[in-house]
Amino acid sequence: MDENTGGLAGLFAPERVAVIGATESEGSIGRAITQNLQADFAGETVPVNPNYDDVLGLKCYPDIDDVPGELNLAVVVVPPKIAVEAVRQCGEAGVRNVVVITAGFGETGSEGASREQELTEVAAEYDLNLVGPNSLGVMSTPTGLNATFGPENALSGSISFMSQSGAFITAVLDWANDEGIGFKDVVSLGNKAVLDETDFVEAWGDDPDTDVILGYLEGVEDGAEFIESARRVTDDTPIVMVKSGRTEAGAQAVSSHTGTLAGSEQAYEAGLEQAGVLRVENVQELFDFAQILSGQPIPESDDVAIVTNAGGPGVMTTDAVGDSNLSLASFSDETLSELSEAMPEEANIYNPIDAIGDADIERFERALDIALADENVGCAVVLSAPTAVIDFDDLSEVITDLQAEHGKPIASVLMGGESTESAREVLREGGIPNYFDPARAVRSLDSLSRYREISQREYEAPEKFDVDRERAREVLERAEERGDNRLGVEAMDLLSAYGIPTPEGTIAEDPEQAVAAAQDIEGDVVMKIVSPDILHKSDIGGVKVGVSPEDVYDAFEDLVTRARNYQPDADILGVQVQEMVDLDSGTETIIGMNRDPQFGPLLLFGLGGIFVEVLEDTETRVAPVSEREATEMVDGIRSAPLLRGARGRDPADREAIVESLQRLSQLVTDFPAILELDVNPLVAGPDGVQAVDVRLTVDTDELEES
Ligand code: ADP
Ligand code: MG
């Protein structure tokens, strides 16, 4: 059995389950769990409680030690003060799987938090698969296991479902049971002291009885680990998730503008997308997607045929297709001629096919059959309003049969109330979802197509460039020497060490040095104040563009005066004298990174300069990124056409931007001590890029460790 649910077979398919803290007392959790187990569980339920000889007719043992024979799973419901000890005894007694229902751990303040810490340590000591604490429990329908204190057991099915909220599970089951939606396994994750979403993604990815993995999450424990596991699993098992709630603002200070743009929500969006998770916004979509993914095949193409007897809803469906990633199929000539033979003259044989209101079941069947046979059709929406000549029961049989015959996915829209009830039953048995709203049908089909893209993704390893890691470390160490964790343009050579092109530049400490530096540079120069206390140099007049050699001396003094006026005690390191970069033929872009507490380094790309804040037109990905992901970032912003040379401009060197992103990705992956970093602007010209400004924050303690 072990290969079925990975290493968690004992958790979901145990033969004997102990309930530690079983009791008969009315309204207690210990009673509810014992009763739920008694109701459907194929294996043996063993109550443990020193105060009883038997519980609900089952022999009760004082201690887990006293139970003869092997136990695969223990459910712990004792009060918080003795729960950790109870888990330890489970470990001692050789029980490998433990579900801790007991609350009063990390969710309740510092005493609870240290209790949870102890629990984690005990679990590690005995190598326990531990669910919870503060969990509603687990369910697994093949063995009838209901080790929860919820009011209802699940129906059997092929969806496995994890939730960070126990209450949400009871609500979902209540509704799913009405809808006839079944589950393979259900887990209430609780506080995730040991087992978390990644463990269940892995276990269910290896489980042949799980067709779809569903999750309701408030956070992901370890983003990088999750991405790695989910990437593998989504090759053949779709994962659909709602992510609600916000993560902690993060341990590090996120100070710059881009830091706030690349907040945690963006990390989830990017991370879950890179993991291949179909992220949904609401509960309805969670189950719409789950149902169609578990019931219908994946379409080979995104071309939809619409077959209806009602013009209006047909148009609504067409609009919904327009809003989705799908497209309206254009029928082959053969299909059109077959349809024109089969349909009355008033009918519309072009997609959407309108068989019109007097269509009987034969006409409907003919239309759908012809449409599905067309190789330009990947999937279909069948719509019907109630009419005197069509019987929904007959129609549901036709839809189910033709779906099975052609092997193309169908979503049906039998529009009505009670009149659709038995038809929906037939459709459900054929794995075909039915909706009142055509837009839902289209979105569901769209999820199949999105999953096809995900399942076909080939993982591409990030490129490793030949870089000067030692020199980069030296630059970062300067922050430490200065006792400041912020670095600015004086750290430009950090970028050159990683092969990101920068214009020639020097930090001058006095006007004479500035003049000398300018002499080494051809033509006019740019001069910038260099101070960790001045984050936005141009805001205080701290950047002078196009300074001619004879003005350099005065410009130096002027810049320093301005900085002093702005902040008298500012730590001024000098003035940077930098080569001019041609801004007329280039576009100011930004590449940056912000470290997320869950997902780690989050890369950002967007238009630079003032645009970054005004337009919020950025793309983010969790680093390290592959070349493909970096390319997607560059092509993904709304203003991408600007880079491709809109309005007669020369196109920007996109490959050079992509490469800079990959190199930045390598830099921030190599140095976890870099907390955030912006290159703004990275000027993207027709022949290459130039990083003209940089700002970063370094965790100097971390630098010592790495
Ligand atoms: P800050 O972002 O702190 O104000 P920057 O170094 O980014 O300082 O400079 C502000 C702006 O000045 C840039 O967005 C760019 O338009 C211009 N600029 C800066 N350096 C150069 C340069 N070397 N060549 C041409 N323009 C520059
Ligand atoms: Mg800047």
Side-chain angles (χ1 to χ4, degrees):
M1 232 178 238
D2 244 32
E3 72 272 17
N4 271 8
T5 322
L8 300 181
L11 181 66
F12 291 119
E15 279 164 21
R16 298 177 77 220
V17 180
V19 182
I20 323 271
T23 157
E24 284 190 0
S25 104
E26 283 294 339
S28 71
I29 291 178
R31 180 187 174 101
I33 290 185
T34 314
Q35 271 180 329
N36 278 343
L37 280 167
Q38 269 182 309
D40 301 309
F41 182 40
E44 191 191 339
T45 306
V46 185
V48 175
N49 188 335
N51 306 320
Y52 289 94
D53 291 331
D54 47 73
V55 169
L56 301 166
L58 299 169
K59 180 171 167 44
C60 182
Y61 296 85
D63 234 338
I64 191 146
D65 252 359
D66 304 317
V67 181
E70 196 193 339
L71 286 163
N72 319 94
L73 171 64
V75 185
V76 175
V77 247
V78 298
K81 286 205 156 48
I82 56 172
V84 176
E85 189 46 35
V87 171
R88 176 185 296 285
Q89 286 169 9
C90 291
E92 273 304 313
V95 186
R96 290 288 317 284
N97 304 285
V98 181
V99 176
V100 182
I101 304 289
T102 311
F105 285 80
E107 80 282 10
T108 57
S110 65
E111 193 189 330
S114 60
R115 184 177 292 136
E116 188 157 320
Q117 182 57 37
E118 272 178 66
L119 184 69
T120 310
E121 283 161 16
V122 169
E125 188 181 336
Y126 294 96
D127 195 17
L128 302 179
N129 296 318
L130 185 143
V131 177
N134 188 24
S135 161
L136 179 83
V138 301
M139 292 176 168
S140 186
T141 53
T143 54
L145 177 84
N146 179 4
T148 74
F149 60 94
E152 285 176 84
N153 201 352
L155 298 175
S156 66
S158 63
I159 299 170
S160 285
F161 174 42
M162 60 177 128
S163 169
Q164 222 170 314
S165 155
F168 184 56
I169 292 182
T170 60
V172 159
L173 288 179
D174 191 58
W175 166 84
N177 287 352
D178 272 358
E179 293 287 308
I181 297 172
F183 295 88
K184 158 67 170 39
D185 300 328
V186 177
V187 177
S188 160
L189 294 168
N191 295 1
K192 307 193 279 197
V194 178
L195 295 178
D196 63 25
E197 51 284 336
T198 303
D199 299 293
F200 291 103
V201 159
E202 296 222 323
W204 289 332
D206 294 336
D207 175 14
D209 298 327
T210 293
D211 288 341
V212 182
I213 298 171
L214 284 199
Y216 166 85
L217 294 184
E218 284 161 13
V220 168
E221 293 298 297
D222 182 332
E225 204 182 81
F226 180 83
I227 291 177
E228 200 186 305
S229 297
R231 234 177 211 156
R232 181 181 62 79
V233 164
T234 50
D235 281 350
D236 27 58
T237 311
I239 304 177
V240 189
M241 263 179 196
V242 179
K243 151 74 182 74
S244 78
R246 286 162 150 272
T247 53
E248 271 177 299
Q252 76 275 13
V254 175
S255 47
S256 70
H257 289 298
T258 48
T260 41
L261 281 180
S264 254
E265 174 49 31
Q266 283 198 329
Y268 276 103
E269 198 180 308
L272 294 180
E273 155 63 27
Q274 284 170 271
V277 168
L278 290 166
R279 187 178 176 185
V280 295
E281 294 299 320
N282 54 52
V283 180
Q284 178 175 296
E285 266 185 355
L286 186 68
F287 284 93
D288 280 357
F289 289 11
Q291 268 178 288
I292 200 157
L293 283 159
S294 68
Q296 292 294 288
I298 303 299
E300 272 169 37
S301 81
D302 295 338
D303 308 303
V304 194
I306 301 170
V307 183
T308 180
N309 66 354
V315 177
M316 285 163 75
T317 314
T318 310
D319 276 343
V321 170
D323 288 338
S324 73
N325 299 312
L326 307 175
S327 49
L328 221 52
S330 48
F331 296 141
S332 69
D333 292 344
E334 195 189 332
T335 300
L336 291 174
S337 77
E338 278 185 56
L339 281 171
S340 71
E341 247 169 67
M343 299 289 118
E345 232 166 68
E346 314 82 75
N348 181 34
I349 57 163
Y350 297 94
N351 206 6
I353 304 173
D354 185 356
I356 59 178
D358 68 349
D360 57 10
I361 187 68
E362 279 76 28
R363 197 195 293 164
F364 228 117
E365 177 169 17
R366 210 46 209 117
L368 183 58
D369 192 19
I370 295 169
L372 288 173
D374 190 325
E375 56 181 36
N376 297 338
V377 170
C379 56
V381 179
V382 181
L383 292 135
S384 177
T387 70
V389 284
I390 201 100
D391 177 61
F392 279 163
D393 289 347
D394 294 344
L395 186 55
S396 62
E397 299 283 358
V398 162
I399 297 171
T400 322
D401 289 349
L402 287 176
Q403 192 284 315
E405 192 183 317
H406 292 278
K408 295 179 180 176
I410 296 181
S412 80
V413 183
L414 306 187
M415 299 177 111
E418 229 164 84
S419 65
T420 64
E421 220 154 84
S422 51
R424 268 165 40 207
E425 186 71 34
V426 174
L427 290 167
R428 182 182 303 141
E429 257 154 47
I432 298 168
N434 184 68
Y435 310 97
F436 187 92
D437 181 356
R440 269 175 77 190
V442 171
R443 274 199 298 272
S444 296
L445 287 174
D446 193 35
S447 75
L448 293 178
S449 119
R450 277 165 65 196
Y451 178 63
R452 184 189 62 230
E453 179 271 313
I454 289 166
S455 65
Q456 290 172 350
R457 279 185 196 172
E458 299 269 353
Y459 176 69
E460 198 188 290
E463 196 161 329
K464 281 264 175 236
F465 296 92
D466 189 12
V467 295
D468 190 344
R469 196 168 168 158
E470 261 325 294
R471 195 164 127 232
R473 165 182 293 282
E474 280 162 28
V475 176
L476 294 171
E477 276 165 357
R478 277 184 223 153
E480 199 174 5
E481 288 154 19
R482 281 218 323 264
D484 197 313
N485 63 351
R486 296 161 303 172
L487 291 172
V489 284
E490 75 279 12
M492 222 47 160
D493 38 345
L494 176 68
L495 302 178
S496 358
Y498 268 66
I500 298 171
T502 57
E504 200 182 323
T506 321
I507 311 288
E509 286 172 18
D510 54 43
E512 289 79 16
Q513 280 186 14
V515 170
Q519 265 160 10
D520 292 341
I521 296 170
E522 204 183 308
D524 293 352
V525 294
V526 178
M527 293 174 68
K528 304 177 189 180
I529 194 75
V530 185
S531 163
D533 297 313
I534 299 169
L535 279 180
H536 299 285
K537 299 178 286 296
S538 37
D539 285 359
I540 63 139
V543 178
K544 286 178 186 278
V545 180
V547 183
S548 60
E550 58 275 19
D551 294 335
V552 168
Y553 195 101
D554 292 345
F556 183 99
E557 305 213 297
D558 187 33
L559 286 168
V560 173
T561 310
R562 284 184 195 190
R564 287 261 176 265
N565 288 342
Y566 166 72
Q567 192 181 326
D569 61 347
D571 180 12
I572 294 172
L573 302 176
V575 168
Q576 186 193 35
V577 180
Q578 193 181 46
E579 181 190 342
M580 289 275 286
V581 169
D582 178 9
L583 289 184
D584 291 337
S585 67
T587 307
E588 294 194 41
T589 68
I590 177 173
I591 60 175
M593 185 279 299
N594 173 44
R595 208 165 280 277
D596 180 81
Q598 267 75 39
F599 285 91
L602 188 66
L603 284 189
L604 173 140
F605 173 73
L607 283 198
I610 54 163
F611 298 122
V612 66
E613 287 128 47
V614 179
L615 300 179
E616 293 194 19
D617 184 14
T618 55
E619 279 283 314
T620 48
R621 294 287 185 284
V622 175
V625 295
S626 63
E627 184 181 349
R628 192 193 60 221
E629 286 171 322
T631 308
E632 282 168 8
M633 291 178 77
V634 176
D635 291 345
I637 59 167
R638 287 192 303 277
S639 352
L642 216 62
L643 297 172
R644 282 188 226 110
R647 304 230 156 200
R649 289 162 58 91
D650 280 335
D653 187 343
R654 277 162 60 245
E655 275 99 65
I657 308 176
V658 169
E659 187 175 319
S660 297
L661 271 168
Q662 290 171 273
R663 287 177 180 273
L664 178 64
S665 164
Q666 185 172 341
L667 172 66
V668 299
T669 310
D670 284 350
F671 292 99
I674 302 176
L675 296 179
E676 52 174 343
L677 184 155
D678 291 336
V679 175
N680 184 15
L682 176 83
V683 178
D687 305 297
V689 295
Q690 294 273 15
V692 304
D693 186 22
V694 69
R695 169 165 65 230
L696 64 147
T697 312
V698 186
D699 178 345
T700 43
D701 297 337
E702 171 83 40
L703 192 60
E704 271 170 36
E705 280 165 33
S706 61

